[in-house]
């Protein structure tokens, strides 16, 4: 099934494409070197309504559909994956989680400034010894009258330094396994919330990734999201949406690498002709284009189910698995087509390759996606 975009979806795509290619792309390579957080870009993105796209207007969002969102996100990723990962976490995980599980007071206090782009949010699930297995996390939240006392360390937290509020999971009842995990809203500046080590990463270098350390962090009971024991459910719900976001980012980076490779092989001459004339190159271009198109259709399929309020866990994992594996292959081939030049920082394909590598890892590794997909198929009455 090929998806035909509506006039509104095409308008959003074209608007974000123009902004991305003119504004975001201009400083992407330099930020990759300096690791400078693109705060000014996010201010402009907020003005365009890109920081809370799927949130209703009454809470500061744009009420856009998921298809429009993935189109916009992929256009941002085309120019700068670092910028797109912050946009993805903000939209897919932080804003949506507040909208789905927050109280009205929490929405007014936190969701409105998040969706309008006034502030950036973070989500803390991963820990030093708990990545793919969140049930083994060690962060605790002990009830103390009208407060909870949180202790633990969260690792690899996107926007850990530049966010103004963090959603953090912690165990409130060790004996209940995944049903003993809860989720808490912790504003920056709360005593006991410490921004720890900042990672020096291979890619996505303009997006800060840090530890969040909780040392007797005291927060009011009103700052629990949902009910006690809802934390695992909340996290998994956020990851479903987030995986569509990772797939869209993968598609955007793959398209950037593909366009760069096609442009290069048309101009690069060897043996007296452009290397695009050689069958070995032409077959690679065909394979790259085919896999990019397949990823796009899988992304649209998952996003369409989300828009129709249908279950989409399986489709989100399929899209994330295929697109993230695809972008690693496409960026590698783009470097190969560039020859020795592709191995230098003079050509953007080198950055694309480094940025792409994490897509098969975060928000659920490829191995975890295969577990999710197979579990969904084996318990689902729908046909694979």
């Amino acid at each position: 099934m090929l998806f035909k975009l509506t006039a509104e979806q095409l308008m959003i795509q074209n608007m974000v494409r123009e902004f991305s290619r003119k504004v975001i792309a201009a400083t992407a390579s330099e930020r990759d070197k300096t690791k400078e957080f693109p705060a000014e870009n996010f201010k402009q993105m907020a003005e365009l309504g890109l920081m809370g796209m799927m949130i209703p207007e009454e809470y500061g969002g744009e009420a856009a559909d998921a298809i429009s969102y993935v189109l916009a996100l992929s256009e941002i990723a085309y120019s700068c994956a670092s910028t797109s990962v912050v946009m993805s976490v903000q939209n897919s995980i932080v804003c949506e989680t507040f909208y789905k599980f927050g109280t009205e007071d929490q929405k007014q206090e936190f969701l409105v400034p998040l969706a309008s782009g006034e502030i950036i949010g973070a989500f803390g699930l991963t820990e030093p010894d708990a990545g793919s297995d969140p049930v083994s996390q060690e962060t605790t939240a002990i009830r103390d009258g009208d407060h909870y006392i949180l202790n633990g360390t969260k690792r690899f937290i996107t926007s850990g330094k530049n966010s103004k509020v963090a959603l953090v999971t912690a165990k409130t009842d060790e004996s209940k396994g995944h049903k003993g995990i809860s989720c808490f809203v912790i504003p920056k500046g709360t005593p006991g919330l410490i921004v720890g080590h900042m990672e020096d990463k291979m890619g996505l270098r303009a997006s800060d990734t840090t530890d969040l350390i909780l040392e007797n962090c005291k927060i009011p009971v009103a700052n629990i999201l949902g009910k006690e024991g809802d934390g695992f459910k909340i996290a998994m719900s956020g990851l479903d949406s987030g995986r569509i976001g990772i797939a869209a980012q993968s598609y955007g980076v793959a398209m950037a690498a593909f366009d760069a490779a096609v442009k290069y092989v048309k101009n690069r001459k060897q043996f007296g002709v452009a290397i695009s004339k050689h069958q070995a190159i032409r077959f690679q271009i065909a394979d790259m284009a085919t896999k990019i198109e397949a990823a796009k259709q899988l992304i649209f399929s998952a996003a369409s189910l989300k828009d129709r309020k249908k279950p989409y866990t399986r489709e989100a994992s399929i899209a994330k698995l295929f697109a993230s594996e695809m972008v690693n292959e496409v960026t590698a081939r783009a470097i190969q087509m560039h020859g020795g030049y592709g191995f230098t920082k003079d050509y953007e394909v080198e950055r694309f390759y480094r940025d792409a590598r994490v897509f098969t890892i975060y928000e659920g590794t490829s191995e975890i996606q295969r577990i999710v997909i197979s579990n969904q198929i084996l318990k689902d009455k729908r046909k694979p």
Side-chain angles (χ1 to χ4, degrees):
M1 173 183 176
L2 290 175
F3 289 86
K4 184 177 181 181
L5 301 179
T6 66
E8 183 177 358
Q9 289 165 345
L10 286 169
M11 180 189 69
I12 291 171
Q13 182 184 40
N14 291 331
M15 180 268 289
V16 179
R17 177 175 293 172
E18 181 179 4
F19 168 76
S20 177
R21 310 282 169 98
K22 287 184 178 180
V23 178
I24 302 295
T27 59
S29 293
E30 184 62 25
R31 291 181 190 280
D32 176 65
K33 297 174 186 175
T34 64
K35 299 193 290 185
E36 181 184 357
F37 187 75
E40 186 57 41
N41 286 348
F42 289 122
K43 289 181 182 178
Q44 295 184 62
M45 289 168 64
E47 293 172 1
L48 294 174
L50 301 182
M51 302 306 285
M53 288 188 67
M54 295 176 287
I55 301 302
E57 294 178 7
E58 63 186 290
Y59 295 116
E62 293 295 313
D65 59 11
I67 296 286
S68 296
Y69 167 64
V70 298
L71 289 170
L73 182 59
S74 63
E75 291 296 341
I76 297 296
Y78 184 99
S79 298
C80 179
S82 294
T83 303
S84 72
V85 70
V86 177
M87 176 182 168
S88 181
V89 171
Q90 178 89 350
N91 278 272
S92 302
I93 301 182
V94 177
C95 285
E96 279 208 49
T97 298
F98 267 112
Y99 179 65
K100 290 172 69 174
F101 298 99
T103 64
E104 185 61 29
D105 286 344
Q106 290 170 340
K107 290 176 183 178
Q108 292 297 332
E109 183 176 359
F110 300 107
L111 179 56
V112 171
L114 283 164
S116 62
E118 293 177 25
I119 62 173
I120 300 292
F123 191 90
L125 176 65
T126 298
E127 297 187 2
D129 295 314
S132 296
D133 179 18
V135 179
S136 65
Q137 65 183 280
E138 297 178 354
T139 299
T140 58
I142 307 299
R143 182 75 179 259
D144 181 20
D146 292 333
H147 291 80
Y148 286 94
I149 309 297
L150 277 69
N151 283 281
T153 298
K154 297 297 179 178
R155 180 144 294 170
F156 302 139
I157 308 306
T158 299
S159 305
K161 177 182 177 182
N162 287 284
S163 59
K164 297 299 183 184
V165 62
L167 291 171
V168 173
T169 59
K171 287 185 174 179
T172 45
D173 190 336
E174 180 79 33
S175 67
K176 291 184 178 179
H178 73 278
K179 293 184 177 180
I181 297 172
S182 302
C183 187
F184 300 90
V185 183
I186 310 181
K188 283 292 182 66
T190 300
L193 176 62
I194 302 163
V195 176
H197 171 71
M198 183 179 293
E199 303 294 341
D200 187 11
K201 302 172 300 198
M202 174 193 295
L204 306 182
R205 291 174 59 79
S207 161
D208 59 301
T209 303
T210 75
D211 283 354
L212 287 180
I213 302 167
L214 301 160
E215 292 185 352
N216 293 320
C217 185
K218 187 175 183 180
I219 62 170
V221 170
N223 278 34
I224 193 169
L225 199 68
K227 304 186 298 292
E228 257 196 29
D230 282 349
F232 185 82
K233 177 179 71 175
I234 289 170
M236 293 306 103
S237 174
L239 289 177
D240 279 347
S241 184
R243 284 165 182 165
I244 297 178
I246 302 300
Q249 292 173 68
S250 298
Y251 172 75
V253 174
M255 278 301 305
F258 179 76
D259 287 350
V262 170
K263 179 180 178 181
Y264 182 82
V265 300
K266 284 182 176 179
N267 294 310
R268 174 68 167 170
K269 291 185 177 180
Q270 292 287 275
F271 306 106
V273 297
I275 62 174
S276 61
K277 299 293 185 181
H278 298 300
Q279 189 179 70
I281 296 295
R282 297 173 80 90
F283 280 10
Q284 288 192 67
I285 289 172
D287 287 345
M288 292 161 76
T290 300
K291 291 182 179 181
I292 289 171
E293 180 63 26
K296 180 173 75 172
Q297 296 303 321
L298 288 171
I299 294 164
F300 283 173
S301 175
S304 177
L305 285 171
K306 185 176 189 297
D307 281 334
R308 288 181 282 137
K309 302 190 186 318
K310 301 288 187 181
Y312 64 95
T313 296
R314 182 177 73 179
E315 287 76 12
S317 284
I318 288 173
K320 198 269 189 186
L321 172 62
F322 186 86
S324 64
E325 297 279 352
M326 174 276 295
V327 72
N328 274 273
E329 179 181 340
V330 166
T331 53
R333 288 195 181 208
I335 284 182
Q336 190 73 15
M337 289 181 185
H338 280 71
Y341 291 113
F343 198 63
T344 72
K345 293 187 182 295
D346 293 333
Y347 287 79
E348 289 189 318
V349 289
E350 182 269 345
R351 170 167 59 89
F352 300 152
Y353 182 76
R354 288 186 290 104
D355 285 342
R357 189 61 193 88
V358 76
F359 292 150
T360 60
I361 298 172
Y362 69 170
E363 292 193 31
T365 63
S366 291
E367 292 75 20
I368 290 295
Q369 301 314 314
R370 290 182 170 96
I371 292 172
V372 172
I373 294 163
S374 60
N375 284 346
Q376 289 288 314
I377 290 171
L378 292 171
K379 76 177 185 179
D380 200 335
K381 295 180 180 179
R382 294 179 299 164
K383 293 180 179 180

